[in-house]
Amino acid sequence: MNIQQLKEAARIISEGGLVSFPTETVYGLGANTLNSVAVAKIFKLKERPSFDPLIVHIASVDDLKMLTNEPSEAVIRLAEKFWPGPLTLVLPKCKLVPDIVTSGLPTVGIRMPDHELALNLIKEAKCPIAAPSANKFGQLSPVSAEHVRKQLPGVDYILDGGTTTVGIESTIVSIEGNVCTLLRPGKITLDDIEKALPGTFVFNTTKPAKLVAPGLLKSHYSPNKPLYIYNRANLPLPESSGLILHNPGEVPSSDCKLIYTSKTGDQLEIAANLFSALHTMEDDPAVKQIFIEPVVEKGLGIAIMDRINKAAYKYQPSA
Ligand code: AMP
Ligand code: MG
């Protein structure tokens, strides 16, 4: 880790600027949570609608107390078990958190990222950092500094930490009393969370109708060229196609650009390479449309299919 670069990034955050930084999931576009003007710059640069709340990143479980009033025993238990890690907890917010961060919601999404650079940036800047993914609204999430440069050349600073390891966004759950609701699937599954909480907890996978945050919508994370979920009916593939497969097995006879996200079908590997594969297809001018193989919707496969379905949604004939 380059200390000079870290200090420079922290200075920019303290002075109200925007810094893109790596986490274990995807790259974030960060600002000082407590500075509403700085947070407004995130929405402007990303072209993000103001009704889409941001996730606040902290560097210790203790920082929770600054953002939410009296976290319950269950919340502390989840934080201690899964943090630092890819789990966002949506909790009642306290007054200190500006409304712009939560899009006016009475709750705030909080997580502690499992990445040395991110944690040190938060500590050095001495404030919780509000950060959505560092992409233009609705487009592919960035998993490298290069992806951030491509979509957000106007960012004040990028801390380059190489390619992220998890590769898809955090799991999001809201905790209200003894009710836990899955808002977005991720690497940490609802089963993992269920095991960590007392038997008295109730688990929901149906999102509350009143919540219309785009991360929860049907279309999101899309490449800028058509993406279709691949099946036998697509064969032979049209000319100038890109095909993303998750396991080298049967290769279609069609002439296409082929990318494997995994050599073994391992879900962790597929998740880690999913957005990179989509970015590579998006960047290749020879590829006019992309086909992507589905995965089995079990465990991490639920989160992988959530991203694939959202990325492909607007290109479906019925959309
Ligand atoms: P991103 O950081 O770009 O992955 O997006 C953050 C996502 O977190 C939003 O699109 C919402 O879906 C979700 N989120 C953040 N804060 C809240 C909240 N207070 N209530 C519900 N969802 C939230
Ligand atoms: Mg995002």
Side-chain angles (χ1 to χ4, degrees):
M1 185 175 47
N2 182 320
I3 301 291
Q4 262 341 91
Q5 290 175 357
L6 189 75
K7 283 191 184 297
E8 171 70 355
R11 183 187 61 77
I12 292 170
I13 294 275
S14 311
E15 292 176 359
L18 301 186
V19 171
S20 177
F21 61 96
T23 74
E24 79 280 34
T25 59
V26 304
Y27 272 68
L29 178 66
N32 176 357
T33 306
L34 309 178
N35 179 339
S36 300
V37 176
V39 172
K41 291 181 192 167
I42 295 180
F43 285 90
K44 184 155 185 246
L45 188 64
K46 271 189 65 107
E47 296 166 25
R48 183 177 176 105
S50 58
F51 61 86
D52 191 5
L54 308 182
I55 292 172
V56 177
H57 295 72
I58 56 177
S60 86
V61 175
D62 246 15
D63 294 346
L64 253 182
K65 295 175 191 138
M66 196 193 331
L67 306 168
T68 185
N69 297 319
E70 293 175 33
S72 67
E73 225 175 88
V75 166
I76 299 287
R77 200 189 284 194
L78 289 180
E80 284 179 346
K81 175 146 179 70
F82 295 109
W83 287 356
L87 176 67
T88 297
L89 300 175
V90 171
L91 304 169
K93 86 171 186 81
C94 59
K95 276 209 185 99
L96 189 69
V97 182
D99 283 332
I100 187 168
V101 173
T102 65
S103 301
L105 291 170
T107 52
V108 57
I110 309 168
R111 90 172 186 103
M112 192 199 303
D114 188 11
H115 197 293
E116 202 194 359
L117 269 181
L119 293 173
N120 281 316
L121 177 65
I122 299 163
K123 286 181 202 154
E124 192 68 33
K126 299 188 178 61
C127 60
I129 296 184
S133 48
N135 52 335
K136 287 274 188 206
F137 176 71
Q139 296 187 15
L140 292 177
S141 294
V143 295
S144 72
E146 207 40 58
H147 297 156
V148 180
R149 265 178 226 119
K150 176 171 83 168
Q151 290 192 28
L152 303 176
V155 64
D156 296 322
Y157 200 83
I158 302 176
L159 264 181
D160 191 341
T163 306
T164 65
T165 51
V166 174
I168 55 171
E169 302 79 357
S170 60
T171 307
I172 306 179
V173 292
S174 76
I175 305 286
E176 281 179 277
N178 70 340
V179 179
C180 172
T181 306
L182 180 70
L183 299 176
R184 178 171 75 186
K187 184 182 172 196
I188 295 170
T189 64
L190 204 55
D191 273 357
D192 297 331
I193 295 167
E194 212 167 331
K195 283 187 196 120
L197 289 176
T200 48
F201 254 80
V202 177
F203 294 88
N204 269 329
T205 48
T206 324
K207 287 151 208 143
K210 61 182 192 289
L211 249 179
V212 283
L216 314 176
L217 293 182
K218 286 180 176 166
S219 177
H220 209 55
Y221 318 112
S222 294
N224 62 12
K225 50 183 78 163
L227 174 72
Y228 306 105
I229 296 179
Y230 168 75
N231 62 53
R232 302 257 115 218
N234 300 129
L235 287 171
L237 294 179
E239 238 175 75
S240 311
S241 290
L243 175 61
I244 300 173
L245 296 175
H246 309 299
N247 209 338
E250 219 177 325
V251 178
S253 50
S254 310
D255 190 16
C256 59
K257 180 187 175 95
L258 200 54
I259 297 180
Y260 292 104
T261 56
S262 167
K263 290 269 179 272
T264 58
D266 175 60
Q267 290 189 330
L268 285 172
E269 210 183 342
I270 297 169
N273 293 321
L274 179 70
F275 280 118
S276 282
L278 287 164
H279 274 284
T280 304
M281 293 296 190
E282 181 178 81
D283 294 346
D284 187 340
V287 173
K288 300 285 182 261
Q289 61 277 320
I290 312 163
F291 290 84
I292 187 164
E293 188 182 32
V295 298
V296 178
E297 282 190 78
K298 264 183 95 175
L300 180 52
I302 296 171
I304 296 169
M305 268 326 285
D306 170 76
R307 304 312 187 273
I308 291 177
N309 283 327
K310 283 178 178 160
Y313 186 79
K314 69 177 178 193
Y315 299 111
Q316 302 311 302
S318 54

